Amino acid sequence: MSTPTKMNVPIARTSLTEAEIQSVLTPLSNGWLVQGPKVREFEEKWSAFTGARHSIAVTSCTTALHLSLAALGFGPGDEAIVPAFTWIATANVIEHLGGKVVFCDIDLNTFNLDVAALRTKITSRTKAILPVHLFGLAAEMDQINEVAKQHGLWVVEDAACGFGSRYHGKHVGVLGDTGCFSFHPRKAITTGEGGMITTDNDALAEKLRRLRDHGAAMTDLQRHLGARPYLLADHPDAGYNQRMTDIQAALGAAQMERADDIIAERRRLAERYDAAFADLSWLRTPAHVEGLEHGYQSYPCLFQPEPVNADSIERINAARNAWMDSLQQAGISTRPATHAVHMLTFYREKYALKPADFPNAWAANDCSISLPLFHGMTQAEQDFVIEQVRGRQI
């Protein structure tokens, strides 16, 4: 059999069973389309899986982060610390609430927040830390929580990539004041768009539920199931409309039935890549950290044909882009792992920032590459990626 020279392998692909596809017919058939019984079911399954006392379904991880900060009391003039290498939403929610974004550099080995650098970023205005469990590897939460406790700060975990990620036995999202998850199609569990907030704080959970639903004291489902469904709820807060629909939740709840299998498959795929690329000095594969279980939302590598430093980043970036283009020509989609937010136009201009202000984030921005990894990836697809990666001149 001849080896293919081209195959279409996307960076990610949604894989749904027929039962999951059919699950959305339930709310379409019974007429309950907005936040209702399927949202409650999804929340209960999410809590059972993560070990969270409360799970609150919302429209996205972005709104989960926004609601978390708003419920905690973050507002104009407050500062929050975020990694300089993350998806832009982590920083945007701070801007939306009138706060100041304070960037912190990352550990280039893990792509996560550098705790030593974090300690230097705290001021009298700091109110919150937003650690990100980037790509499915948990941040150093014990150290981060220690810093937060010393300074009386809130910790809002950006666990957008955190499904299946564990920190010394605990699922991420239960380690701070809140955890915020994403159900975007590139995530292991998807509802198209959607998010979830987890917390063990009863009072905070109650406030989060109100704020996602216009500030209402009870949900429509609670009201309809109550003794007087004809009376409207009180609104103790000026809230938002950030409710998940039952159509989305039906899909999410159905996928939770095979949550363990989805995670196990992603780990198997990552292990095959690890073994295949172990001898490639120019491609550093994702870090393995003792006590941390990687969820592998993606497979981020560092492209390093020479040592990565300020003098070499421009050359490495040009070589990486050419390498990615050659893979694209063969039909393999790749991406930079994510972006350095301080290098994006809005934040660069607003805060007068330069790439070198956060050198590890700059290096990750210009030298990282994510290879295809997704639930439902065939062995033939992965074999093709491995062969093409190993066979390309560097």
Side-chain angles (χ1 to χ4, degrees), residues 362-373:
W362 173 27
N365 184 88
D366 283 4
C367 306
S368 67
I369 179 170
S370 283
L371 298 175
L373 188 152

Side-chain angles (χ1 to χ4, degrees), residues 2 20 60 87 108 129 155 187 196 207 240 278 295 303 305 313 316 380:
S2 62
E20 290 161 2
S60 68
W87 187 246
L108 194 55
I129 306 169
V155 175
K187 305 303 188 289
M196 190 77 76
K207 187 170 186 180
Y240 312 91
F303 186 76
I313 287 176
I316 294 173

Side-chain angles (χ1 to χ4, degrees), residues 254-387:
Q255 288 170 83
M256 291 302 293
E257 294 298 317
R258 58 187 180 109
D260 289 330
D261 290 340
I262 290 172
I263 295 166
E265 181 174 358
R266 285 175 173 265
R267 288 180 179 151
R268 285 195 301 270
L269 291 167
E271 287 168 3
R272 287 197 76 219
Y273 275 152
D274 287 348
F277 304 143
D279 63 335
L280 301 182
S281 62
W282 50 268
L283 191 70
R284 195 203 70 197
T285 55
H288 292 267
V289 181
E290 186 176 355
L292 308 189
E293 296 177 44
H294 208 308
Y296 292 104
Q297 179 269 330
S298 57
Y299 192 81
C301 303
L302 193 69
F303 186 76
Q304 49 179 24
E306 60 178 297
V308 178
N309 54 52
D311 293 330
S312 65
I313 287 176
E314 186 175 349
R315 291 191 302 274
I316 294 173
N317 177 252
R320 182 206 66 175
N321 291 350
W323 191 68
M324 292 169 72
D325 185 64
S326 70
L327 288 173
Q328 187 70 39
Q329 296 305 312
I332 298 171
S333 293
T334 61
R335 298 287 187 277
T338 189
H339 45 218
V341 185
H342 76 289
M343 294 171 62
L344 302 176
T345 300
F346 176 83
Y347 290 98
R348 184 185 72 240
E349 293 182 352
K350 178 170 183 177
Y351 294 105
L353 297 170
K354 302 183 295 296
D357 290 337
F358 305 97
N360 286 344
W362 173 27
N365 184 88
D366 283 4
C367 306
S368 67
I369 179 170
S370 283
L371 298 175
L373 188 152
F374 47 87
H375 182 64
M377 187 179 196
T378 67
Q379 182 170 329
E381 287 173 325
Q382 189 174 33
D383 286 346
F384 182 69
V385 174
I386 290 169
E387 180 183 85

Side-chain angles (χ1 to χ4, degrees), residues 209-218 234-240:
R209 290 190 178 102
R210 292 199 308 267
L211 287 178
R212 73 168 169 184
D213 190 12
H214 301 284
M218 69 172 67
D234 186 21
H235 288 68
D237 302 289
Y240 312 91

Side-chain angles (χ1 to χ4, degrees), residues 43-65:
E43 291 172 338
E44 289 171 350
K45 287 183 174 180
W46 195 261
S47 285
F49 186 82
T50 61
R53 184 175 176 85
H54 301 279
S55 294
I56 300 103
V58 292
T59 54
S60 68
C61 187
T62 305
T63 55
L65 293 165

Side-chain angles (χ1 to χ4, degrees), residues 7-28:
M7 180 184 287
N8 183 26
V9 185
I11 190 68
R13 182 173 65 227
T14 301
S15 177
L16 300 173
T17 67
E18 185 60 30
E20 290 161 2
I21 293 170
Q22 292 297 316
S23 71
V24 301
L25 296 180
T26 298
L28 292 174

